[in-house]
Amino acid sequence: MAMAALRREGRRIAAPLLSPHPINPLRSSLASSEEQAFSGVRFISTQIVRTRMKSVKNIQKITKAMKMVAASKLRAIQTRAENSRGLWQPFTALLGDMPSVDVKKNVIVTISSDKGLCGGINSTSVKISRALYKLNSGPEKECKYVILGEKAKAQLVRDSKKDIGLSITELQKNPLNYTQVAVIADDILKNVEYDALRIVFNKFQSVVAFLPTTSTVLSPEIVEREAEAGGSLGELDSYEIEGGETKSEVLQNLTEFQFSCVMFNAVLENACSEQGARMSAMDSSSRNAGDMLDRLTLTYNRTRQASITTELIEIISGASALTG
Amino acid sequence: MASSAAVPFWRSAGMTYITYSNLCANLVRQCLKEPYKTESLTREKVHFSASQWVDGKPEKPTTRSDSPE
């Protein structure tokens, strides 16, 4: 009996050296079936738990760092996004925002991020774009996607790749600026035919709240048509036009400029939402990693304590058996 | 009138209003004095890659970039 206890003691020392399954190779050295039954219970591998704890700890470190990065990026971009709201507001006051307008050639501009790990903002904008597509497709109607960002492209390629007209990526290599967005807007205008451009993006409301939003930019012909039909655009005729330009020329310039301004705001708002979403996602994931670590530590300590207790009991009872 | 003659001029050159206004903005930026001039010119860097889609397949993306690779 004492020999058996000694042998077990030796095994306990040897066990951490053998990874990751220290139980199996030892099983052959065990003679009695009684001991075999115990071995599984007593020497549950603490090694595996320890490596798991280590990896969870590392993941937590990474997510915490990502959260910090997102928070600092968010602060930089938030003020710019809020300032850029002043760009589209006068246009909406003048030309109106009519999401319900019924036209032949629709172009849906879906704005998403290039990188993942930012919660559900990309799938939200894809979902809204699909809904808009369904609303605006029909006989004698055309509907195309223009995609900004890698993530929405990956999602839309699966079921509607026939309807993609243009995809643009690598937006955020440099900090976002108006010139860049204007060049992109120019590219879009030159490459697609449109009656209405519907821009889908996540509007930044707070660090945890993003509103999926659509802005509609109409082509000059449609603006004129709607203005003649009256409604919210009916007042457009009461404006006086200076200089030698005709009304259609002015309208064309206006809608082009409106599109680039709305795009600028949309891209900024979406980037801001992305950072906010990433921040909250990383926050919750580092919290989850912490919870997991707590549970693992508890299991680890309990197992260790249990194996020490059993060994002590065995040694003491063996010693008392010898003396008694 | 100069402005009325200018409109069809850049429009017929294939420019949109966006390109035209960007060109004008860039000219104004170049009129700034030195510390502000480089600052504003480095701020407005363009970098993106765009690809046209034909029949459900993306064509080779064209990268447009101001910064050297």
Side-chain angles (χ1 to χ4, degrees):
Chain A
M1 194 63 194
M3 280 302 286
L6 273 178
R7 214 168 44 199
R8 268 183 221 131
E9 191 61 24
R11 198 154 21 104
R12 197 170 74 88
I13 296 161
L17 297 173
L18 301 162
S19 66
H21 301 291
I23 302 156
N24 294 342
L26 286 164
R27 208 162 259 177
S28 56
S29 71
L30 297 174
S32 69
S33 61
E34 182 201 47
E35 271 178 327
Q36 210 164 10
F38 274 132
S39 73
V41 181
R42 201 171 303 157
F43 299 111
I44 175 171
S45 176
T46 52
Q47 184 90 39
I48 295 171
V49 183
R50 225 175 313 157
T51 39
R52 185 78 179 279
M53 276 162 67
K54 209 186 273 171
S55 76
V56 170
K57 220 180 276 175
N58 284 337
I59 290 168
Q60 193 187 20
K61 267 183 212 157
I62 293 168
T63 52
K64 262 188 187 153
M66 280 183 82
K67 189 198 156 192
M68 300 290 236
V69 172
S72 73
K73 277 189 182 164
L74 174 74
R75 209 166 309 135
I77 214 163
Q78 188 180 349
T79 44
R80 302 188 58 207
E82 276 162 5
N83 288 342
S84 75
R85 283 178 194 162
L87 274 174
W88 60 263
Q89 276 157 354
F91 281 112
T92 312
L94 177 65
L95 298 170
D97 190 2
M98 295 194 292
S100 57
V101 73
D102 186 39
V103 289
K104 278 211 176 70
K105 285 176 194 151
N106 290 283
V107 174
I108 301 171
V109 184
T110 309
I111 297 179
S112 72
S113 66
D114 274 351
K115 289 176 187 151
L117 293 179
C118 50
I121 64 154
N122 290 328
S123 16
T124 335
S125 60
V126 168
K127 229 179 272 169
I128 299 290
S129 314
R130 285 207 178 115
L132 270 180
Y133 181 83
K134 267 191 198 139
L135 277 177
N136 290 305
S137 59
E140 293 173 27
K141 274 193 190 174
E142 237 184 292
C143 203
K144 284 256 178 218
Y145 288 113
V146 170
I147 301 169
L148 268 76
E150 208 66 70
K151 290 290 153 186
K153 190 173 94 182
Q155 290 188 32
L156 283 171
V157 154
R158 264 182 270 153
D159 63 342
S160 35
K161 61 181 171 190
K162 289 266 183 279
D163 302 310
I164 299 175
L166 189 67
S167 73
I168 296 166
T169 51
E170 291 178 44
L171 253 76
Q172 298 203 32
K173 202 181 166 218
N174 302 318
L176 291 166
N177 56 62
Y178 179 75
T179 313
Q180 176 175 27
V181 179
V183 174
I184 291 172
D186 191 40
D187 253 28
I188 293 173
L189 286 184
K190 275 181 184 160
N191 284 313
V192 292
E193 287 177 15
Y194 68 98
D195 284 335
L197 292 150
R198 295 163 199 278
I199 304 163
V200 182
F201 62 100
N202 287 280
K203 189 172 173 163
F204 182 80
Q205 201 170 36
S206 74
V207 181
V208 284
F210 322 107
L211 292 176
T213 313
T214 66
S215 313
T216 317
V217 177
L218 304 172
S219 74
E221 297 86 45
I222 301 296
V223 172
E224 264 182 290
R225 195 188 79 189
E226 293 290 321
E228 274 161 26
S232 60
L233 282 180
E235 292 169 14
L236 209 63
D237 281 325
S238 55
Y239 285 94
E240 227 172 82
I241 295 168
E242 282 184 5
E245 291 113 330
T246 60
K247 190 180 162 200
S248 64
E249 277 171 347
V250 172
L251 271 181
Q252 188 169 10
N253 294 350
L254 258 180
T255 46
E256 281 170 2
F257 192 50
Q258 182 194 13
F259 178 56
S260 77
C261 286
V262 170
M263 276 284 286
F264 180 58
N265 173 252
V267 166
L268 271 177
E269 296 271 359
N270 201 68
C272 200
S273 310
E274 180 199 341
Q275 297 302 344
R278 178 166 297 134
M279 214 175 98
S280 49
M282 287 301 117
D283 184 48
S284 60
S285 69
S286 44
R287 203 171 40 238
N288 285 345
D291 289 353
M292 200 177 182
L293 197 62
D294 285 351
R295 273 204 308 279
L296 281 175
T297 319
L298 201 67
T299 327
Y300 174 72
N301 284 341
R302 201 174 278 161
T303 325
R304 198 172 50 100
Q305 197 63 49
S307 76
I308 290 170
T309 316
T310 2
E311 270 158 22
L312 270 178
I313 288 168
E314 275 174 10
I315 291 166
I316 292 166
S317 57
S320 69
L322 278 179
T323 53
Chain B
M1 216 187 283
S3 65
S4 62
V7 175
F9 163 64
W10 53 260
R11 180 75 70 188
S12 61
M15 280 202 264
T16 58
Y17 182 74
I18 304 171
T19 329
Y20 177 66
S21 64
N22 260 340
L23 272 179
C24 294
N26 203 33
L27 281 177
V28 175
R29 270 184 217 116
Q30 277 169 358
C31 295
L32 284 167
K33 281 188 178 171
E34 207 12 273
Y36 309 106
K37 185 178 169 184
T38 32
E39 190 194 315
S40 67
L41 283 177
T42 46
R43 194 171 51 216
E44 311 287 320
K45 281 265 183 292
V46 179
H47 180 97
F48 65 92
S49 90
S51 61
Q52 288 264 12
W53 288 60
V54 177
D55 297 330
K57 293 241 163 39
E59 290 187 340
K60 202 174 175 296
T62 48
T63 309
R64 175 153 183 188
S65 183
D66 282 350
S67 52
E69 291 301 314

